[in-house]
Amino acid sequence: MNSDGRLLLRGGIVLTMDETLGDHERGDVLIEDGKIVEVGQDLQADAQVLDCAGKIVLPGFVNSHHHMFQTALRSYWADATDLDYFMQSRTGADALFHQYTPEDVYWGQFGGALENLAAGTTTVVDTSQCSYTPEHTDAALEGIRRSGIRCVFSFSPSLGDHEPDPSYAHPEDIHRLIDKAGAVDDATLVRLALGYHIDEDLFALARDLAVPVFAHVNEASWGYALEEFEKEGLLGPWITYIHCLGLEDAAWRAIERTGGKVSISTSAEQSLTMGEPALQTALEHGVPASFGTDTVGIAPVDFFSQMRAAFYWQRSRIQAAMQNDSPAVQPISVRDILRMATLGGAQGAHLDHLVGSLTPGKRADVITLNARTLNAGPVNHAAGAIVQHMDTSNVDTVIVDGRIVKRDGHLLDVDVDAVLQELERSASGLISRSRATDILFTGCRHLT
């Protein structure tokens, strides 16, 4: 980038995800000092120019629910149901999660963040879930910050029937984390939040500290608690509800009335047989919906996979409604899906004032997707090419807060092989310490 900090993306198909700005068949995006300055055609500026001919330019994807610390356990629960996953990950002293050292957390977070960046995801809400000690928490934040990704770190409890370390301090340690983080401004990449479950004290603390809360809502009984929390003034637009499985209509109305958001992990929820994804219900209630990936131990992290899973699942509801004589389901479009993956994700992360669209004044989190490829070209429908046809191989350039982190399909200043070696070492240690048997050719289900 040249000395005045300007970058000009020139001549791409520009999808701004801003209804006022609209889109451009051949447009330019001007970035200066980490912000989007102008979007239009034939912009003139003294800037470093990136030729985007044959590429689609759009906001980076926003993952509103992820557990990055689990990166070393990729595919471990590939054929798991929910019982397999919960029992093997956190039940008993030998459970896999209980074997994590701060170093394991660091490499999981760092490797997971790099994976997201490489796939075009510029913002992640990370549900930490592995803060066994303050050292574990600090290691997680160190790995995130080193990666350069934008992240909302949802400080969450370590769950399970283990003996907690004497220094375990959830949620009290949030005060130390806030003090250590210091002042927050628009350029701050890592922000703090609270999670992970429906809890009156946790919701009150988040409200009092004015931080977002990301709460798993996995069954109807938790929905009943939300109805009570609304009466106590504990619900508000600062809350994102994860999964929202099996909720009754009254709980949905409470979420809608209080301005809540919803994060849906369509791939993981179906893989674990947790229940029907809440996408259609969220649409019917007008609740802002976003996509999460949950854990790479279960399902893929890239948003091309997530978008397709959500699109196909929602379309399958149309025929199911007809067969059950239920109210008609209207098909959503690929553009709707792409919006949920970008601006919808930013809403779910409580960052839509900063990212999620190419609106001048927002931070420059931008990606370019190579459409001059056999799997994407010719482009007859821009959103359709992205949602239905592209994959991570199409991610050409990734920019976070105006800084190029991936160019010409390669992460910059990252020794990928060294990171993979550390993740392999971490996986070996976790499995060895848990005394789990080798599942390379068998799978996790025989362990439960």
Side-chain angles (χ1 to χ4, degrees):
M1 191 173 295
N2 70 347
S3 58
D4 66 2
R6 287 186 168 189
L7 180 65
L8 182 62
L9 310 183
R10 184 179 293 285
I13 298 173
V14 178
L15 301 179
T16 68
M17 309 314 294
D18 182 316
E19 293 183 3
T20 302
L21 281 178
D23 302 321
H24 299 275
E25 184 174 351
R26 186 181 182 280
D28 306 335
V29 179
L30 179 61
I31 297 168
E32 182 176 0
D33 295 331
K35 294 193 299 186
I36 297 168
V37 175
E38 190 176 0
V39 178
Q41 297 176 338
D42 300 319
L43 301 182
Q44 301 300 314
D46 176 19
Q48 175 187 350
V49 177
L50 295 186
D51 182 5
C52 294
K55 298 178 176 64
I56 301 177
V57 182
L58 71 156
F61 301 125
V62 180
N63 186 339
S64 62
H65 175 55
H66 192 17
H67 304 287
M68 288 196 295
F69 80 93
Q70 297 185 41
T71 302
L73 296 175
R74 182 185 311 278
S75 76
Y76 191 91
W77 292 288
D79 59 6
T81 62
D82 54 354
L83 182 63
D84 301 311
Y85 172 64
F86 290 116
M87 292 290 288
Q88 295 170 18
S89 65
R90 64 199 75 182
T91 302
D94 290 339
L96 278 160
F97 288 178
H98 302 335
Q99 314 312 316
Y100 269 84
T101 66
E103 186 178 14
D104 291 314
V105 174
Y106 172 85
W107 286 109
Q109 299 284 161
F110 183 53
L114 294 179
E115 176 186 9
N116 276 273
L117 288 171
T121 298
T122 52
T123 298
V124 169
V125 176
D126 183 58
T127 302
S128 61
Q129 208 180 25
C130 203
S131 290
Y132 288 96
T133 68
E135 289 73 26
H136 285 74
T137 304
D138 291 345
L141 286 163
E142 183 183 353
I144 292 168
R145 291 191 173 103
R146 178 184 172 188
S147 74
I149 201 167
R150 191 180 301 278
C151 180
V152 180
F153 182 77
S154 179
F155 178 51
S156 303
S158 57
L159 304 176
D161 56 353
H162 64 290
E163 184 67 31
D165 188 272
S167 65
Y168 176 71
H170 181 277
E172 297 81 7
D173 203 33
I174 189 66
H175 298 285
R176 178 185 69 88
L177 298 177
I178 291 173
D179 290 343
K180 186 176 180 180
V184 173
D185 58 28
D186 286 355
T188 300
L189 286 182
V190 181
R191 294 162 184 258
L192 296 169
L194 281 167
Y196 140 98
H197 52 335
I198 303 296
D199 179 86
E200 185 175 7
D201 292 337
L202 187 74
F203 276 38
L205 178 60
R207 181 196 59 190
D208 295 345
L209 292 175
V211 298
V213 60
F214 296 84
H216 286 67
V217 188
N218 289 3
E219 57 184 47
S221 62
W222 293 7
Y224 303 148
L226 294 182
E227 296 173 48
E228 294 302 315
F229 286 6
E230 183 184 12
K231 299 174 185 176
E232 300 173 33
L234 295 177
L235 305 189
W238 58 86
I239 304 177
T240 295
Y241 304 92
I242 301 164
H243 302 312
C244 292
L245 301 173
L247 297 190
E248 296 185 3
D249 193 62
W252 278 103
R253 289 199 301 271
I255 293 172
E256 180 183 359
R257 281 192 300 268
T258 56
K261 286 80 175 176
V262 171
S263 176
I264 298 158
S265 301
T266 313
S267 295
E269 290 157 4
Q270 292 182 96
S271 182
L272 288 182
T273 67
M274 293 174 65
E276 287 198 351
L279 175 58
Q280 185 58 40
T281 313
L283 291 170
E284 291 167 357
H285 283 271
V287 175
S290 58
F291 299 135
T293 59
D294 213 307
T295 166
V296 74
I298 298 167
V301 165
D302 74 276
F303 258 44
F304 303 98
S305 297
Q306 303 306 318
M307 289 189 291
R308 277 194 277 277
F311 182 75
Y312 296 149
W313 184 86
Q314 197 275 340
R315 287 296 179 99
S316 75
R317 299 302 90 199
I318 299 171
Q319 186 65 23
M322 293 173 60
Q323 293 174 345
N324 296 326
D325 293 324
S326 300
V329 172
Q330 297 301 314
I332 57 175
S333 68
V334 288
R335 178 69 179 219
D336 296 328
I337 290 289
L338 187 60
R339 185 190 181 282
M340 293 178 202
T342 52
L343 187 57
Q347 290 174 314
H350 307 280
L351 294 176
D352 52 304
H353 62 297
L354 293 177
V355 297
S357 65
L358 302 183
T359 304
K362 287 191 175 184
R363 307 306 296 181
D365 288 10
V366 187
I367 63 175
T368 75
L369 306 177
N370 187 5
R372 193 163 287 161
T373 57
L374 290 174
N375 71 327
V379 176
N380 294 299
H381 186 291
I386 297 169
V387 174
Q388 291 278 41
H389 297 281
M390 287 187 174
D391 56 43
T392 57
S393 68
N394 297 95
V395 180
D396 179 84
T397 299
V398 178
I399 300 167
V400 179
D401 212 54
R403 183 174 66 90
I404 300 173
V405 299
K406 184 177 184 179
R407 182 74 180 116
D408 297 326
H410 299 283
L411 289 173
L412 303 182
D413 303 319
V414 174
D415 186 341
V416 174
D417 188 61
V419 174
L420 289 173
Q421 288 180 15
E422 293 292 349
L423 288 171
E424 290 164 0
R425 180 197 56 75
S426 176
S428 177
L430 290 168
I431 293 170
S432 173
R433 292 193 297 275
S434 72
R435 294 185 285 188
T437 56
D438 187 351
I439 65 165
L440 183 63
F441 300 118
T442 55
C444 70
R445 297 213 65 204
H446 78 283
L447 301 178
T448 302

